[in-house]
Amino acid sequence: PFYAYFLSFIYLILGPHPTTASAIQLLMGVLGCVLLYWLARNLFSKWVGLLAGLGGAIHGIAFFHEGTLLTVVLIHILNLTLLLTLYWAARHPSWKTWAIPGVLLGLSIITRPNILLFAFVILAWIWWLFQTQPIQKRLLPMMAFIAGMFFMILPVILRNVLVLREPIMTVATGGLNFYLGNSQQSTGFLVPFGELGLSSRTIVEDFKQEAENRSGKPL
């Protein structure tokens, strides 16, 4: 849901003009190239940074997405910033610094939920970084990271409890998407699925009804 709020904020400040939103996303694309350069320079060298930034600048699909009202640009910026803050936190001994990448991952999760899997990679990495420390000092940065992440996710969970009466962490279409991409009928293309069809207006409700029929209980 975060992209919808992001877009709403742009419309609130500058008016409901898709062209204006696209222009802002193009500027975000420029920022993404700078972040990519900065990250690669810090991790490798100046020349690697320049090549990475240039590669981002001439990447045609990225340019296409920046001119389209889709979540991709926001995801790209959030994830690049997340990687930079992880690099920064690893170079600072204070456990409190790990809350910042947690906040950024939380925002990224409520933009595209499947990055939640990356949280386990980060936690394992934090454990490895602090391997020479006592258990308590290992747990503190991990807890700060988790707290920052859930600080951003919690409002969405509360909203889903109040509106949908279900404690859904982000969105409820994970099972639908997983089935579309991995069932025996999947071909690699978005095609009608037998009795479920492919109507954008009814697909979610049709999947829910079919799942209830197969499981024999309300979902």
Short mmCIF file of all heavy atoms in Angstrom, two decimals, residues 1-2 5 99 101-120 145-161 166-171:
data_model
loop_
_atom_site.label_atom_id
_atom_site.label_comp_id
_atom_site.label_asym_id
_atom_site.label_seq_id
_atom_site.Cartn_x
_atom_site.Cartn_y
_atom_site.Cartn_z
N PRO A 1 0.79 -1.23 0.00
CA PRO A 1 0.00 0.00 0.00
C PRO A 1 0.83 1.29 0.00
O PRO A 1 0.30 2.36 -0.21
CB PRO A 1 -0.80 -0.11 1.30
CG PRO A 1 0.03 -0.96 2.20
CD PRO A 1 0.71 -1.94 1.29
N PHE A 2 2.15 1.19 0.23
CA PHE A 2 2.93 2.42 0.41
C PHE A 2 2.98 3.27 -0.85
O PHE A 2 2.99 4.50 -0.79
CB PHE A 2 4.35 2.07 0.88
CG PHE A 2 5.19 3.28 1.22
CD1 PHE A 2 4.72 4.23 2.12
CD2 PHE A 2 6.43 3.46 0.67
CE1 PHE A 2 5.48 5.35 2.43
CE2 PHE A 2 7.21 4.58 0.98
CZ PHE A 2 6.72 5.52 1.87
N TYR A 5 0.06 5.62 -1.09
CA TYR A 5 0.20 6.79 -0.22
C TYR A 5 1.25 7.76 -0.77
O TYR A 5 1.09 8.98 -0.68
CB TYR A 5 0.58 6.35 1.20
CG TYR A 5 -0.56 5.68 1.93
CD1 TYR A 5 -0.54 4.31 2.18
CD2 TYR A 5 -1.67 6.40 2.35
CE1 TYR A 5 -1.58 3.68 2.84
CE2 TYR A 5 -2.72 5.79 3.01
CZ TYR A 5 -2.67 4.43 3.25
OH TYR A 5 -3.71 3.80 3.89
N ALA A 99 18.44 0.32 13.58
CA ALA A 99 17.01 0.61 13.45
C ALA A 99 16.70 1.30 12.12
O ALA A 99 15.61 1.13 11.57
CB ALA A 99 16.55 1.50 14.61
N PRO A 101 18.16 0.91 8.90
CA PRO A 101 17.86 -0.04 7.82
C PRO A 101 16.59 -0.86 8.08
O PRO A 101 15.90 -1.26 7.15
CB PRO A 101 19.10 -0.94 7.76
CG PRO A 101 19.86 -0.69 9.01
CD PRO A 101 19.51 0.69 9.44
N GLY A 102 16.25 -1.07 9.35
CA GLY A 102 14.99 -1.75 9.67
C GLY A 102 13.80 -0.96 9.18
O GLY A 102 12.85 -1.52 8.60
N VAL A 103 13.82 0.36 9.41
CA VAL A 103 12.73 1.23 8.94
C VAL A 103 12.63 1.17 7.42
O VAL A 103 11.53 1.06 6.85
CB VAL A 103 12.96 2.68 9.42
CG1 VAL A 103 12.05 3.66 8.67
CG2 VAL A 103 12.72 2.78 10.92
N LEU A 104 13.77 1.24 6.74
CA LEU A 104 13.76 1.22 5.27
C LEU A 104 13.26 -0.12 4.73
O LEU A 104 12.52 -0.16 3.74
CB LEU A 104 15.16 1.53 4.74
CG LEU A 104 15.56 2.99 4.87
CD1 LEU A 104 17.06 3.16 4.70
CD2 LEU A 104 14.82 3.83 3.84
N LEU A 105 13.66 -1.22 5.37
CA LEU A 105 13.14 -2.52 4.93
C LEU A 105 11.64 -2.60 5.17
O LEU A 105 10.90 -3.14 4.35
CB LEU A 105 13.86 -3.66 5.64
CG LEU A 105 13.42 -5.06 5.18
CD1 LEU A 105 13.77 -5.27 3.71
CD2 LEU A 105 14.05 -6.15 6.02
N GLY A 106 11.17 -2.05 6.31
CA GLY A 106 9.74 -2.03 6.58
C GLY A 106 8.97 -1.28 5.50
O GLY A 106 7.92 -1.74 5.03
N LEU A 107 9.49 -0.13 5.07
CA LEU A 107 8.85 0.63 3.99
C LEU A 107 8.87 -0.16 2.69
O LEU A 107 7.90 -0.14 1.92
CB LEU A 107 9.56 1.97 3.80
CG LEU A 107 9.35 3.02 4.90
CD1 LEU A 107 10.24 4.23 4.65
CD2 LEU A 107 7.89 3.45 4.97
N SER A 108 9.98 -0.85 2.44
CA SER A 108 10.08 -1.65 1.23
C SER A 108 9.10 -2.82 1.26
O SER A 108 8.50 -3.18 0.23
CB SER A 108 11.51 -2.16 1.05
OG SER A 108 11.69 -2.74 -0.23
N ILE A 109 8.91 -3.42 2.43
CA ILE A 109 7.98 -4.54 2.57
C ILE A 109 6.55 -4.10 2.26
O ILE A 109 5.80 -4.83 1.60
CB ILE A 109 8.07 -5.15 3.99
CG1 ILE A 109 9.39 -5.91 4.14
CG2 ILE A 109 6.89 -6.07 4.28
CD1 ILE A 109 9.70 -6.32 5.57
N ILE A 110 6.16 -2.91 2.73
CA ILE A 110 4.78 -2.46 2.46
C ILE A 110 4.67 -1.82 1.08
O ILE A 110 3.61 -1.29 0.72
CB ILE A 110 4.26 -1.50 3.55
CG1 ILE A 110 5.12 -0.25 3.66
CG2 ILE A 110 4.16 -2.23 4.88
CD1 ILE A 110 4.56 0.78 4.65
N THR A 111 5.76 -1.90 0.30
CA THR A 111 5.71 -1.53 -1.12
C THR A 111 5.67 -2.78 -1.98
O THR A 111 4.89 -2.87 -2.92
CB THR A 111 6.92 -0.66 -1.51
OG1 THR A 111 7.04 0.44 -0.60
CG2 THR A 111 6.77 -0.11 -2.92
N ARG A 112 6.53 -3.73 -1.64
CA ARG A 112 6.51 -5.05 -2.31
C ARG A 112 6.88 -6.11 -1.28
O ARG A 112 8.04 -6.25 -0.91
CB ARG A 112 7.48 -5.08 -3.49
CG ARG A 112 7.38 -6.34 -4.32
CD ARG A 112 8.27 -6.30 -5.54
NE ARG A 112 8.15 -7.50 -6.34
CZ ARG A 112 7.27 -7.67 -7.33
NH1 ARG A 112 6.46 -6.68 -7.63
NH2 ARG A 112 7.22 -8.79 -8.02
N PRO A 113 5.89 -6.88 -0.82
CA PRO A 113 6.07 -7.73 0.37
C PRO A 113 7.12 -8.83 0.26
O PRO A 113 7.64 -9.26 1.28
CB PRO A 113 4.67 -8.34 0.56
CG PRO A 113 3.74 -7.40 -0.12
CD PRO A 113 4.50 -6.85 -1.28
N ASN A 114 7.46 -9.31 -0.95
CA ASN A 114 8.35 -10.47 -1.00
C ASN A 114 9.77 -10.16 -0.56
O ASN A 114 10.56 -11.08 -0.33
CB ASN A 114 8.34 -11.13 -2.38
CG ASN A 114 8.70 -10.18 -3.50
OD1 ASN A 114 9.00 -9.01 -3.26
ND2 ASN A 114 8.65 -10.67 -4.73
N ILE A 115 10.12 -8.88 -0.40
CA ILE A 115 11.45 -8.57 0.12
C ILE A 115 11.56 -8.90 1.62
O ILE A 115 12.65 -8.86 2.18
CB ILE A 115 11.83 -7.10 -0.13
CG1 ILE A 115 13.36 -6.91 0.02
CG2 ILE A 115 11.05 -6.17 0.80
CD1 ILE A 115 13.85 -5.53 -0.27
N LEU A 116 10.45 -9.25 2.23
CA LEU A 116 10.48 -9.69 3.63
C LEU A 116 11.49 -10.82 3.82
O LEU A 116 12.12 -10.94 4.88
CB LEU A 116 9.09 -10.14 4.07
CG LEU A 116 8.95 -10.74 5.47
CD1 LEU A 116 9.32 -9.70 6.53
CD2 LEU A 116 7.53 -11.25 5.70
N LEU A 117 11.67 -11.67 2.80
CA LEU A 117 12.63 -12.78 2.89
C LEU A 117 14.04 -12.27 3.14
O LEU A 117 14.86 -12.95 3.76
CB LEU A 117 12.59 -13.60 1.59
CG LEU A 117 11.29 -14.35 1.31
CD1 LEU A 117 11.31 -14.97 -0.07
CD2 LEU A 117 11.03 -15.41 2.37
N PHE A 118 14.35 -11.06 2.64
CA PHE A 118 15.69 -10.49 2.82
C PHE A 118 15.98 -10.19 4.28
O PHE A 118 17.15 -10.10 4.68
CB PHE A 118 15.82 -9.22 1.97
CG PHE A 118 17.22 -8.70 1.86
CD1 PHE A 118 18.28 -9.54 1.53
CD2 PHE A 118 17.49 -7.36 2.07
CE1 PHE A 118 19.58 -9.05 1.43
CE2 PHE A 118 18.78 -6.86 1.96
CZ PHE A 118 19.82 -7.71 1.64
N ALA A 119 14.94 -10.02 5.09
CA ALA A 119 15.13 -9.74 6.51
C ALA A 119 15.94 -10.86 7.18
O ALA A 119 16.79 -10.60 8.03
CB ALA A 119 13.78 -9.58 7.22
N PHE A 120 15.70 -12.10 6.79
CA PHE A 120 16.41 -13.23 7.38
C PHE A 120 17.89 -13.21 6.99
O PHE A 120 18.76 -13.58 7.79
CB PHE A 120 15.76 -14.54 6.96
CG PHE A 120 14.33 -14.66 7.39
CD1 PHE A 120 13.29 -14.43 6.50
CD2 PHE A 120 14.02 -14.97 8.71
CE1 PHE A 120 11.96 -14.52 6.91
CE2 PHE A 120 12.69 -15.06 9.13
CZ PHE A 120 11.66 -14.82 8.22
N PHE A 145 16.94 -3.65 14.64
CA PHE A 145 16.55 -3.82 13.24
C PHE A 145 15.09 -4.28 13.12
O PHE A 145 14.31 -3.72 12.35
CB PHE A 145 17.48 -4.82 12.56
CG PHE A 145 17.09 -5.19 11.17
CD1 PHE A 145 17.35 -4.33 10.12
CD2 PHE A 145 16.44 -6.39 10.92
CE1 PHE A 145 16.96 -4.66 8.82
CE2 PHE A 145 16.05 -6.73 9.64
CZ PHE A 145 16.32 -5.87 8.58
N ILE A 146 14.73 -5.29 13.89
CA ILE A 146 13.36 -5.82 13.85
C ILE A 146 12.35 -4.77 14.32
O ILE A 146 11.27 -4.62 13.73
CB ILE A 146 13.25 -7.09 14.73
CG1 ILE A 146 14.06 -8.22 14.10
CG2 ILE A 146 11.80 -7.52 14.91
CD1 ILE A 146 14.21 -9.45 14.98
N ALA A 147 12.72 -4.00 15.35
CA ALA A 147 11.82 -2.95 15.86
C ALA A 147 11.57 -1.89 14.80
O ALA A 147 10.44 -1.45 14.59
CB ALA A 147 12.42 -2.32 17.12
N GLY A 148 12.65 -1.46 14.11
CA GLY A 148 12.50 -0.48 13.05
C GLY A 148 11.61 -0.99 11.93
O GLY A 148 10.77 -0.25 11.39
N MET A 149 11.77 -2.26 11.58
CA MET A 149 10.98 -2.86 10.50
C MET A 149 9.50 -2.91 10.87
O MET A 149 8.63 -2.48 10.10
CB MET A 149 11.51 -4.26 10.21
CG MET A 149 10.80 -5.01 9.12
SD MET A 149 11.57 -6.62 8.76
CE MET A 149 11.22 -7.52 10.27
N PHE A 150 9.20 -3.41 12.06
CA PHE A 150 7.79 -3.55 12.46
C PHE A 150 7.14 -2.21 12.78
O PHE A 150 5.92 -2.09 12.73
CB PHE A 150 7.66 -4.52 13.63
CG PHE A 150 7.55 -5.95 13.19
CD1 PHE A 150 8.67 -6.78 13.18
CD2 PHE A 150 6.35 -6.47 12.74
CE1 PHE A 150 8.59 -8.09 12.76
CE2 PHE A 150 6.24 -7.78 12.31
CZ PHE A 150 7.37 -8.59 12.32
N PHE A 151 7.94 -1.20 13.09
CA PHE A 151 7.40 0.14 13.31
C PHE A 151 6.69 0.64 12.05
O PHE A 151 5.68 1.34 12.14
CB PHE A 151 8.53 1.10 13.70
CG PHE A 151 8.06 2.50 13.97
CD1 PHE A 151 7.40 2.82 15.14
CD2 PHE A 151 8.28 3.51 13.03
CE1 PHE A 151 6.95 4.11 15.39
CE2 PHE A 151 7.85 4.80 13.27
CZ PHE A 151 7.18 5.10 14.45
N MET A 152 7.21 0.27 10.87
CA MET A 152 6.60 0.69 9.61
C MET A 152 5.49 -0.26 9.17
O MET A 152 4.54 0.16 8.51
CB MET A 152 7.67 0.78 8.51
CG MET A 152 8.86 1.66 8.86
SD MET A 152 8.41 3.29 9.53
CE MET A 152 7.42 3.97 8.21
N ILE A 153 5.60 -1.54 9.53
CA ILE A 153 4.60 -2.52 9.08
C ILE A 153 3.35 -2.49 9.96
O ILE A 153 2.24 -2.73 9.49
CB ILE A 153 5.21 -3.94 9.09
CG1 ILE A 153 6.40 -4.01 8.15
CG2 ILE A 153 4.16 -4.99 8.69
CD1 ILE A 153 7.14 -5.34 8.21
N LEU A 154 3.51 -2.18 11.25
CA LEU A 154 2.42 -2.27 12.21
C LEU A 154 1.17 -1.47 11.81
O LEU A 154 0.05 -1.99 11.95
CB LEU A 154 2.90 -1.85 13.60
CG LEU A 154 1.91 -2.07 14.75
CD1 LEU A 154 1.53 -3.55 14.86
CD2 LEU A 154 2.49 -1.58 16.07
N PRO A 155 1.30 -0.23 11.31
CA PRO A 155 0.08 0.50 10.91
C PRO A 155 -0.73 -0.22 9.84
O PRO A 155 -1.96 -0.18 9.85
CB PRO A 155 0.63 1.84 10.38
CG PRO A 155 1.94 2.01 11.07
CD PRO A 155 2.50 0.63 11.20
N VAL A 156 -0.03 -0.92 8.93
CA VAL A 156 -0.72 -1.66 7.88
C VAL A 156 -1.45 -2.86 8.48
O VAL A 156 -2.60 -3.16 8.12
CB VAL A 156 0.28 -2.13 6.80
CG1 VAL A 156 -0.43 -2.96 5.73
CG2 VAL A 156 0.95 -0.93 6.16
N ILE A 157 -0.81 -3.56 9.42
CA ILE A 157 -1.45 -4.70 10.08
C ILE A 157 -2.69 -4.24 10.83
O ILE A 157 -3.76 -4.86 10.74
CB ILE A 157 -0.47 -5.39 11.05
CG1 ILE A 157 0.74 -5.94 10.29
CG2 ILE A 157 -1.17 -6.51 11.81
CD1 ILE A 157 1.82 -6.52 11.18
N LEU A 158 -2.57 -3.12 11.57
CA LEU A 158 -3.72 -2.60 12.33
C LEU A 158 -4.84 -2.19 11.39
O LEU A 158 -6.02 -2.44 11.68
CB LEU A 158 -3.27 -1.40 13.17
CG LEU A 158 -2.30 -1.72 14.32
CD1 LEU A 158 -1.86 -0.44 15.01
CD2 LEU A 158 -2.95 -2.66 15.33
N ARG A 159 -4.49 -1.58 10.27
CA ARG A 159 -5.51 -1.19 9.29
C ARG A 159 -6.24 -2.42 8.76
O ARG A 159 -7.48 -2.43 8.62
CB ARG A 159 -4.84 -0.43 8.14
CG ARG A 159 -5.82 0.06 7.07
CD ARG A 159 -5.85 -0.88 5.89
NE ARG A 159 -6.81 -0.47 4.88
CZ ARG A 159 -7.28 -1.27 3.95
NH1 ARG A 159 -6.91 -2.54 3.92
NH2 ARG A 159 -8.14 -0.83 3.06
N ASN A 160 -5.50 -3.50 8.47
CA ASN A 160 -6.12 -4.72 7.96
C ASN A 160 -7.01 -5.39 9.00
O ASN A 160 -8.04 -5.97 8.67
CB ASN A 160 -5.04 -5.69 7.48
CG ASN A 160 -4.37 -5.23 6.20
OD1 ASN A 160 -4.95 -4.46 5.43
ND2 ASN A 160 -3.15 -5.67 5.96
N VAL A 161 -6.61 -5.30 10.27
CA VAL A 161 -7.45 -5.85 11.34
C VAL A 161 -8.75 -5.07 11.44
O VAL A 161 -9.83 -5.65 11.57
CB VAL A 161 -6.69 -5.82 12.69
CG1 VAL A 161 -7.64 -6.15 13.84
CG2 VAL A 161 -5.53 -6.81 12.67
N GLU A 166 -8.84 -9.21 9.68
CA GLU A 166 -7.82 -10.25 9.63
C GLU A 166 -6.45 -9.61 9.85
O GLU A 166 -6.17 -8.55 9.30
CB GLU A 166 -7.83 -10.96 8.27
CG GLU A 166 -9.05 -11.82 8.02
CD GLU A 166 -8.92 -12.61 6.72
OE1 GLU A 166 -7.93 -13.36 6.60
OE2 GLU A 166 -9.78 -12.47 5.85
N PRO A 167 -5.57 -10.25 10.64
CA PRO A 167 -4.24 -9.69 10.90
C PRO A 167 -3.27 -9.96 9.76
O PRO A 167 -2.26 -10.66 9.91
CB PRO A 167 -3.81 -10.40 12.18
CG PRO A 167 -4.50 -11.73 12.10
CD PRO A 167 -5.82 -11.47 11.42
N ILE A 168 -3.55 -9.43 8.57
CA ILE A 168 -2.70 -9.62 7.40
C ILE A 168 -1.54 -8.64 7.47
O ILE A 168 -1.75 -7.45 7.67
CB ILE A 168 -3.51 -9.41 6.11
CG1 ILE A 168 -4.66 -10.42 6.04
CG2 ILE A 168 -2.62 -9.53 4.88
CD1 ILE A 168 -5.67 -10.13 4.95
N MET A 169 -0.31 -9.14 7.29
CA MET A 169 0.86 -8.29 7.47
C MET A 169 0.93 -7.18 6.43
O MET A 169 1.18 -6.03 6.76
CB MET A 169 2.13 -9.13 7.42
CG MET A 169 3.40 -8.31 7.61
SD MET A 169 4.90 -9.30 7.72
CE MET A 169 4.73 -9.99 9.35
N THR A 170 0.71 -7.51 5.16
CA THR A 170 0.78 -6.47 4.13
C THR A 170 -0.43 -6.56 3.21
O THR A 170 -1.37 -5.79 3.35
CB THR A 170 2.09 -6.59 3.31
OG1 THR A 170 2.20 -7.93 2.80
CG2 THR A 170 3.30 -6.29 4.16
N VAL A 171 -0.39 -7.48 2.25
CA VAL A 171 -1.52 -7.65 1.33
C VAL A 171 -1.98 -9.10 1.36
O VAL A 171 -1.25 -9.98 1.80
CB VAL A 171 -1.15 -7.26 -0.11
CG1 VAL A 171 -0.87 -5.76 -0.19
CG2 VAL A 171 0.07 -8.03 -0.59
#
